[in-house]
Amino acid sequence: MPPSNNAKRSRDGADDDGAKRVKVRSPSSSFVDHQPPINQPLALEYLCPITRELPVDPVMAEDGRIYERSAIEKYFITCQSSSLDSSSGNDHQGEDSNVDAPPPRQITSPMSGRKMGTNFYDAVQARNTIHFLISSKTISSELIENWKRNKDVHDANKGASMGDTSAMIDLASWYYYGCRGLSKNMAKSMEWYKKAANLDNTTAMVALSKHFLLVKEGEHFNQASGIYYLTEAANKGDASAALMLGTSFLRGENGVSKDFMPARKWLKHAEGASIDNDAPSGVAMLAKFLLARLSNAC
């Protein structure tokens, strides 16, 4: 029996006249995915006019617009600084000058260009609405991802300002690699690592030591500082710091002379500290291996 027309269409996806059959998608299928996010127009109303992103810490300025707090603060400072610069330039005209000094620059709205004051207020309702838009996932994924990225940086800055060394290390790492929307900035990276190290964070000390010892070129290469931070971290029980310090003395590297006595001391510290502090087993194994070689050499 020859196959029916229905069977033929089911095999080749075409009608008898050769026209391709159109698949009808259910409302829950990818047809919906191609539609604009339902709350995208609402989200666009809350974009900061300066950053063009959803604010993490929204405030309302005197022009009635919602801004990212740090962005509008920076904008006001920039406007006031430029006003001072223009005023100081007029001081050189001399006392006998008949030219009147121009009035201080008026601060204008970034949105409308009209004059405005420098007061702003917490936009609680805007913050709640933005949180809803983020959690409901009814806006574009790009807006959501950028907001989460900015929130990570905002929270890290807030934590770092309160003495949280983990937040300081996060900021240092992000500036080092140029991620989370931050530009790569070695000076700021070093600044945050130093602040955390000054609060006895050994992870920051080790990071600083690697910074000073491994960057062979530029202003940050400083072997004495590198060994100093390694020693500080090792004395506080950091196994990886003790291993690096012991290896430096064993091989005569990183600005220290080859000396088996301190090499043995720090390698033993590394072996013991890695066991006591549940450090990666590789640190203890490598320290043990180097101690064995050191014993054979002696």
Side-chain angles (χ1 to χ4, degrees):
M1 176 184 295
S4 66
N5 289 338
N6 289 337
K8 181 179 179 182
R9 283 197 294 269
S10 65
R11 285 200 309 270
D12 58 21
D15 292 324
D16 291 338
D17 58 359
K20 286 290 183 181
R21 198 162 43 88
V22 178
K23 294 182 179 180
V24 178
R25 301 182 186 274
S26 66
S28 60
S29 68
S30 60
F31 173 79
V32 177
D33 298 337
H34 293 293
Q35 300 302 306
I38 189 171
N39 281 324
Q40 187 73 0
L42 177 60
L44 296 179
E45 288 296 317
Y46 285 99
L47 293 185
C48 170
I50 299 174
T51 66
R52 302 305 302 165
E53 294 179 330
L54 288 173
V56 173
D57 189 9
V59 295
M60 178 175 287
E62 290 188 15
D63 62 353
R65 300 293 303 185
I66 300 296
Y67 294 90
E68 181 69 74
R69 182 188 298 271
S70 59
I72 194 63
E73 286 177 337
K74 184 177 180 180
Y75 174 78
F76 287 153
I77 292 172
T78 301
C79 290
Q80 291 166 343
S81 298
S82 61
S83 177
L84 291 174
D85 292 341
S86 61
S87 298
S88 61
N90 292 317
D91 293 339
H92 301 290
Q93 293 177 356
E95 296 180 0
D96 297 331
S97 174
N98 295 323
V99 180
D100 293 332
R105 177 185 170 186
Q106 292 286 344
I107 293 179
T108 57
S109 166
M111 191 68 179
S112 66
R114 296 177 180 175
K115 295 179 182 179
M116 66 179 289
T118 58
N119 295 317
F120 54 80
Y121 313 92
D122 289 341
V124 178
Q125 185 174 355
R127 180 185 294 111
N128 294 339
T129 301
I130 291 170
H131 284 184
F132 165 76
L133 294 173
I134 297 297
S135 61
S136 65
K137 299 181 180 180
T138 54
I139 59 178
S140 70
S141 59
E142 181 181 3
L143 286 179
I144 294 175
E145 291 168 6
N146 289 345
W147 184 88
K148 290 182 177 180
R149 177 202 66 196
N150 294 337
K151 189 174 189 304
D152 285 344
V153 176
H154 174 270
D155 290 348
N157 274 304
K158 184 177 181 179
S161 68
M162 298 174 66
D164 185 344
T165 56
S166 295
M168 295 177 189
I169 291 174
D170 283 340
L171 287 170
S173 177
W174 296 340
Y175 275 117
Y176 182 85
Y177 291 106
C179 57
R180 289 297 198 286
L182 299 175
S183 300
K184 190 171 184 178
N185 190 319
M186 198 68 69
K188 286 190 175 182
S189 175
M190 296 282 282
E191 178 185 344
W192 282 116
Y193 275 134
K194 286 179 180 178
K195 287 182 178 180
N198 290 339
L199 293 174
D200 291 337
N201 186 289
T202 58
T203 300
M205 292 177 186
V206 173
L208 274 174
S209 67
K210 292 179 178 178
H211 215 45
F212 285 122
L213 295 173
L214 301 181
V215 180
K216 297 299 183 183
E217 299 179 356
E219 59 180 323
H220 300 297
F221 180 61
N222 188 321
Q223 290 180 317
S225 294
I227 293 299
Y228 166 78
Y229 281 110
L230 271 184
T231 305
E232 287 290 301
N235 280 326
K236 295 181 184 300
D238 189 283
S240 61
L243 178 62
M244 288 182 64
L245 202 54
T247 304
S248 296
F249 280 107
L250 180 64
R251 298 174 178 173
E253 297 176 339
N254 297 322
V256 299
S257 301
K258 194 172 186 178
D259 192 331
F260 289 166
M261 186 174 293
R264 180 179 290 106
K265 168 190 171 182
W266 291 117
L267 289 174
K268 285 184 176 180
H269 273 352
E271 184 183 23
S274 62
I275 294 173
D276 295 340
N277 300 329
D278 294 326
S281 58
V283 173
M285 292 176 62
L286 183 54
K288 186 175 182 179
F289 171 76
L290 293 175
L291 282 169
R293 285 187 59 185
L294 186 56
S295 298
N296 293 335
C298 296

